[in-house]
């Protein structure tokens, strides 16, 4: 029996498990290691934060995977031994014939003094209810949506959150000054100056101030400190710094780098039949930037890896490669959304555009979640 072990049950891990199940013989084993009890997509957090739709509506229990002939092992990954094709889960060793590492990116709020204590982490499912409550009861004042470190998953999210907050506060007639700050020199560098100007003009049109090149050094009650000095806020919403999960950092696969760097088109690592996909990776683009950490790319990478594993399983020479085509959703308020889309692996640099806002794109975002939950977990 051939066994594939997938480390991590986020977007990439789920996509890999189902793609492999469709390609491998029924007697082969697909094992998914995930500590959490239920799955949800990152995009669901914004809807829960703004109380458009509860987090529970997009959650599914990993128990359901059994009906898809995918074995779920709930546990913490203690150690990864890539050379031995082995993972140690809650002290027990699990051997594999092929391994897919999809452990995502870990929040690192402790790297900025005061961040965990004095800001709401809007990327944390554990903090979402508290953050949503603070927004729902906000009486007015100054609001910060802060990017506290890069890279971070779903790059459009801070700007999406700010625009949706502007809608909420306007509907409630709450007087609020919203600021978005980021250590980056522009909103979404992957779009270039022209695309970023469109986003920043939209923010300005909603009286949202964007502060580029603002790297936070610490957070105090009602205040964020930058190199240029402090700024005061009545509500601080944070996109925290992210880092490589500890089991990966200790595995040697990062080779001293901040992220795992697989082959940019095959997602292969230096060890045969070991792959890394999703937010734990850094895929370099032709212009030196990195591929955005987004679910759609993790899904594409999972498909490539599944085809390569299946080809090797059959004794063939794998030829599947990442195309570079992809997109991210950006809700802009007023019942509309845009796409950041294009060929991210193009030469001499990404060919990425921003579509016009429309209700159809927002509906496509809802369908994106609904279709995958149905395919992966059933109704």
């Amino acid at each position: 029996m051939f066994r594939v072990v997938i480390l991590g049950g986020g977007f990439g891990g789920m996509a890999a498990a189902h793609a492999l199940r469709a390609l491998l013989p029924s007697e082969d084993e697909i094992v998914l290691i995930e500590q959490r009890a239920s799955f949800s997509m990152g995009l669901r957090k914004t809807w829960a934060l703004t109380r458009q739709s509860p987090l529970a509506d997009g959650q599914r229990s990993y128990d359901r995977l059994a009906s898809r002939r995918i074995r779920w092992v709930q546990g913490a990954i203690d150690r990864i031994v890539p050379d031995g094709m082995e993972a140690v889960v809650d002290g027990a060793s699990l051997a594999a014939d092929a391994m897919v590492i999809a452990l995502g990116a870990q929040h690192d709020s402790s790297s900025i003094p005061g961040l965990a204590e004095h800001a709401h982490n809007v990327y944390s499912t554990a903090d979402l209810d508290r953050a949503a409550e603070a927004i729902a009861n906000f009486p007015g004042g100054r609001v910060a949506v802060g990017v506290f470190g890069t890279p971070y998953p779903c790059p459009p999210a801070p700007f999406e959150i700010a625009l949706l907050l502007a809608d909420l506060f306007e509907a409630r007639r709450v007087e609020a000054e919203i600021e978005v700050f980021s250590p980056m020199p522009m909103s979404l560098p992957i779009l270039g100056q022209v695309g970023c100007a469109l986003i920043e003009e939209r923010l300005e049109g909603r009286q949202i101030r964007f502060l580029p090149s603002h790297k936070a050094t610490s957070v105090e009650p009602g205040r964020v400190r930058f190199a240029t000095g402090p700024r005061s806020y009545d509500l601080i919403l944070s996109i925290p710094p992210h880092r490589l999960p500890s089991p990966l950092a200790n595995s040697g696969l990062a080779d001293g780098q901040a992220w795992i760097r697989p082959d940019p088109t095959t997602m292969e690592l230096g060890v045969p039949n070991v792959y890394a996909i999703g937010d734990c990776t850094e895929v370099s683009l032709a212009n030196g930037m990195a591929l955005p950490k987004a679910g759609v790319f993790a899904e594409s990478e999972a498909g490539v890896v599944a085809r390569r594993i299946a080809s090797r399983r059959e004794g063939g020479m794998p030829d599947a490669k990442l195309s570079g085509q992809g997109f991210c959703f950006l809700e802009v308020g007023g019942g509309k959304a845009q796409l950041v889309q294009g060929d991210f692996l193009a030469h001499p640099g990404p060919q990425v555009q921003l579509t016009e806002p429309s209700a159809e794109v927002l509906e496509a975002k809802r369908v994106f979640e609904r279709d995958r939950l149905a395919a992966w977990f059933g109704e």
Side-chain angles (χ1 to χ4, degrees):
M1 181 184 67
F2 187 84
R3 174 190 286 165
V4 183
V5 172
I6 301 167
L7 306 181
F11 205 104
M14 286 298 304
H18 287 276
L20 284 161
R21 186 69 285 164
L23 292 170
L24 294 180
S26 59
E27 64 269 19
D28 288 354
E29 189 176 23
I30 312 296
V31 183
L32 183 80
I33 313 297
E34 173 56 55
Q35 188 171 17
R36 296 169 299 176
S38 61
F39 169 88
S40 64
M41 292 186 190
L43 57 80
R44 169 63 50 177
K45 293 173 186 173
T46 301
W47 296 336
L49 180 71
T50 53
R51 291 191 168 171
Q52 298 178 61
S53 180
L55 192 65
D57 282 4
Q59 290 180 319
R60 299 292 185 273
S61 171
Y62 288 107
D63 282 333
R64 294 195 187 188
L65 295 178
S67 66
R68 299 296 199 265
R69 293 181 293 116
I70 296 168
R71 177 185 165 201
W72 167 48
V73 175
Q74 185 174 21
I77 297 168
D78 303 318
R79 192 159 52 95
I80 302 169
V81 188
D83 290 341
M85 206 73 74
E86 175 190 3
V88 180
V89 182
D90 287 337
S93 176
L94 184 64
D97 297 293
M99 183 179 291
V100 182
I101 299 170
L103 285 173
Q106 185 172 322
H107 298 171
D108 192 20
S109 295
S110 63
S111 64
I112 295 182
L115 179 59
E117 295 81 6
H118 306 302
H120 296 278
N121 180 352
V122 296
Y123 272 28
S124 167
T125 54
D127 201 20
L128 271 181
D129 283 345
R130 190 169 67 93
E133 187 72 15
I135 291 168
N137 295 323
F138 188 63
R142 290 170 54 81
V143 181
V145 180
V147 177
F148 283 85
T150 59
Y152 61 93
C154 193
F159 312 102
E160 178 177 271
I161 290 168
L163 289 163
L164 293 176
L165 288 179
D167 267 12
L168 277 178
F169 293 143
E170 182 180 353
R172 289 171 41 203
R173 298 184 180 180
V174 170
E175 293 187 9
E177 297 178 38
I178 303 173
E179 290 187 350
V180 183
F181 63 78
S182 171
M184 296 185 294
M186 58 186 79
S187 50
L188 289 177
I190 197 78
L191 278 171
Q193 291 186 346
V194 173
C196 286
L198 294 173
I199 291 176
E200 291 159 25
E201 286 169 8
R202 180 170 294 279
L203 294 172
E204 185 179 358
R206 297 303 312 273
Q207 288 77 53
I208 298 168
R209 185 174 185 180
F210 175 53
L211 302 174
S213 302
H214 272 61
K215 182 174 175 59
T217 57
S218 66
V219 184
E220 301 165 359
R223 185 159 56 182
V224 179
R225 289 195 176 274
F226 304 94
T228 53
R231 296 185 71 83
S232 297
Y233 299 104
D234 300 293
L235 177 62
I236 303 171
L237 305 175
S238 79
I239 288 82
H242 288 71
R243 63 176 174 83
L244 204 61
S246 298
L248 265 182
N250 298 330
S251 69
L253 287 171
D255 196 24
Q257 302 296 319
W259 303 98
I260 303 292
R261 292 183 174 180
D263 181 283
T265 57
T266 68
M267 310 311 291
E268 293 180 342
L269 300 176
V271 182
N273 260 349
V274 179
Y275 302 82
I277 64 174
D279 292 350
C280 65
T281 68
E282 181 178 88
V283 175
S284 296
L285 307 182
N287 64 351
M289 290 184 180
L291 188 69
K293 295 184 185 297
V296 70
F297 293 114
E299 184 177 39
S300 296
E301 293 161 3
V304 168
V305 166
R307 293 195 297 276
R308 295 186 75 84
I309 290 173
S311 180
R312 281 207 173 96
R313 170 76 171 97
E314 295 167 0
M317 291 294 293
D319 58 5
K321 292 186 177 180
L322 194 65
S323 72
Q325 294 290 331
F327 59 88
C328 297
F329 293 103
L330 170 59
E331 288 188 52
V332 297
K336 296 181 179 181
Q338 298 175 271
L339 286 174
V340 180
Q341 68 176 10
D343 185 351
F344 288 75
L345 292 180
H347 289 263
Q351 301 297 312
V352 183
Q353 301 81 35
L354 190 65
T355 68
E356 288 295 318
S358 71
E360 288 75 18
V361 174
L362 179 56
E363 178 58 22
K365 182 178 181 180
R366 298 189 183 108
V367 171
F368 181 86
E369 179 197 44
R370 185 169 63 242
D371 285 356
R372 283 155 181 80
L373 289 179
W376 292 347
F377 295 96
E379 294 298 340

